[in-house]
Amino acid sequence: MHQQAETLRTEALALIAAATDSASLEAARVKYLGKSGAITALSEGMRNVAKEDRPAIGKLLNDLRAAVTGALEESQQRLLEAADAAAVSTLDLSLPGTFPASGTLHPLTQLMDRAVQCFRRMGFAIADGPDIETEWHCFDALNTPPDHPARNEQDTFYLPDGRLLRSHTSSVQIRVMETTPPPVRIIAPGAAYRRDEVDATHLAQFTQMEGLYVAENVTLADLKGTLEFFFRELFGSGTDIQFRPHFFPFTEPSYEIDIRAAALGGEWMELAGCGMVDPAVFEAVCKQRGDRVYDPDKVSGFAFGFGLERLAMNLSRIPDIRMLVENDLRFLNQF
Ligand code: PHE
């Protein structure tokens, strides 16, 4: 049996060492260790071995098994390594790689970031509200009567359930006062929606930046000072700013702001709406909150709102508003 085992070991190891692929390796395994393999057959001969010889023969067979199994594993590893080496042998590691194309910030995002930075320096926090709004937040609480043209289905997108796509970010004023007692000083950049015919100067979705400051003794001087500082920070100290009396249901008095700056092409442009928060808005908020922290006899405030697209267009000399949403890389790469 010794002799047989020794012969099998030599044969098996030679066959395994000569294997050049995993199929011949598997064939070698089956030949020696398979169900009817040679080593398996030899082990079955144990039955006929004299009792006193069994331990020695058992060890002999175990060693043989271990040697062949080890050789199989080693060869398997060797074949894998050879396959890996073959796979990379045709790679030229000295060739330059392919670089991922890196983008730039959208001109609207760049303007938004600058505006946000400026207001943050003045202590304004960023606030947010849903794009899908209730009529109450978008209109009623903002003192906008049911027959106001903005509430018309021709001007505003209504959902079947009666909610709407907010037609301005002023709804965030209400959202903030509903949940936060004064003083509040927030800006709210975000999308607004109107049923406008899309053309070179109109989109049905555009971007607004809302502002609200409510505390004790906030005055029109605070409103003017804040917005003048902001526009001169953004467009240069030589920027001309004009507050033109106007009407908004939710502010009283109300103004439109026109500015003229070299950076914006040097022409007057109508830019923003603003005013002192109307007492009726504070009353609506008080009623909703169930307390009097926004009592118009105790607090006052200003609000403003402006669109970002037209500003970005003037700043970057963009002739058509649709270019801002087409995602054409030839356009976007320029910023
Ligand atoms: N919501 C107004 C608009 O969309 C702008 C505005 C905001 C005016 C705040 C006054 C106060 O035109």
Side-chain angles (χ1 to χ4, degrees):
M1 208 141 176
H2 265 282
Q3 192 51 47
Q4 264 176 304
E6 210 35 58
T7 311
L8 276 181
R9 176 198 294 264
T10 318
E11 251 183 53
L13 295 189
L15 192 62
I16 290 166
T20 51
D21 53 33
S22 52
S24 47
L25 210 55
E26 175 60 8
R29 189 191 67 77
V30 171
K31 181 161 186 222
Y32 293 100
L33 299 174
K35 251 200 190 122
S36 36
I39 295 177
T40 316
L42 195 59
S43 303
E44 274 158 14
M46 273 290 271
R47 265 179 271 144
N48 309 320
V49 171
K51 209 172 179 182
E52 60 275 25
D53 292 337
R54 276 191 192 170
I57 299 292
K59 180 173 181 335
L60 182 75
L61 289 174
N62 274 345
D63 289 350
L64 174 58
R65 240 171 214 290
V68 173
T69 308
L72 280 168
E73 276 165 11
E74 235 167 69
S75 273
Q76 183 70 38
Q77 189 60 32
R78 169 173 59 81
L79 288 177
L80 276 178
E81 276 163 19
D84 282 351
V88 297
S89 68
T90 55
L91 285 184
D92 180 352
L93 297 182
S94 67
L95 282 175
T98 42
F99 293 94
S102 67
T104 55
L105 289 179
H106 191 278
L108 213 51
T109 307
Q110 293 182 20
L111 175 63
M112 174 105 82
D113 286 353
R114 285 178 59 206
V116 167
Q117 287 310 320
C118 181
F119 278 115
R120 285 182 66 109
R121 288 212 305 282
M122 291 192 276
F124 284 76
I126 298 200
D128 200 5
D131 288 20
I132 297 178
E133 259 304 1
T134 65
E135 277 201 274
W136 188 79
H137 287 91
C138 200
F139 297 128
D140 296 294
L142 287 162
N143 195 34
T144 307
D147 60 351
H148 191 280
R151 299 183 67 147
N152 201 302
E153 290 206 18
Q154 265 75 59
D155 290 316
T156 297
F157 293 105
Y158 281 88
L159 274 67
D161 66 6
R163 289 182 301 165
L164 47 81
L165 298 183
R166 67 182 181 195
S167 53
H168 53 182
T169 45
S170 298
S171 51
V172 182
Q173 293 183 33
I174 305 301
R175 292 266 168 198
V176 167
M177 289 191 279
E178 238 179 1
T179 54
T180 319
V184 291
R185 185 156 45 181
I186 58 98
I187 46 168
Y193 306 82
R194 288 182 197 169
R195 288 184 89 123
D196 277 330
E197 206 63 61
V198 173
D199 60 24
T201 54
H202 295 87
L203 293 174
Q205 177 188 334
F206 56 104
T207 316
Q208 281 194 331
M209 177 117 123
E210 192 79 13
L212 175 71
Y213 178 23
V214 181
E216 281 173 26
N217 301 318
V218 177
T219 69
L220 192 54
D222 296 314
L223 164 60
K224 289 190 74 175
T226 303
L227 290 178
E228 282 175 359
F229 175 81
F230 169 69
F231 288 123
R232 295 204 167 113
E233 275 293 290
L234 228 56
F235 306 123
S237 54
T239 303
D240 293 316
I241 301 160
Q242 162 179 305
F243 288 78
R244 190 163 32 78
H246 196 73
F247 174 79
F248 295 104
F250 35 92
T251 46
E252 180 59 34
S254 304
Y255 303 88
E256 275 197 328
I257 305 173
D258 307 320
I259 67 173
R260 183 171 62 182
L264 295 170
E267 299 290 329
W268 280 106
M269 66 182 286
E270 182 187 309
L271 189 69
C274 68
M276 300 306 291
V277 178
D278 195 296
V281 174
F282 286 139
E283 287 297 350
V285 167
C286 283
K287 202 165 158 212
Q288 179 76 1
R289 290 179 56 98
D291 64 23
R292 299 296 299 167
V293 292
Y294 281 100
D295 185 340
D297 289 334
K298 288 189 226 146
V299 295
S300 55
F302 66 74
F304 59 86
F306 57 90
L308 289 174
E309 275 81 358
R310 224 150 35 84
L311 269 182
M313 288 168 72
N314 279 18
L315 268 179
S316 305
R317 309 269 188 279
I318 299 166
D320 191 315
I321 195 171
R322 289 167 290 198
M323 290 176 162
L324 292 171
V325 292
E326 281 167 347
N327 281 341
D328 185 332
L329 282 179
R330 292 167 303 176
F331 167 75
L332 293 172
N333 278 339
Q334 299 173 54
F335 303 97

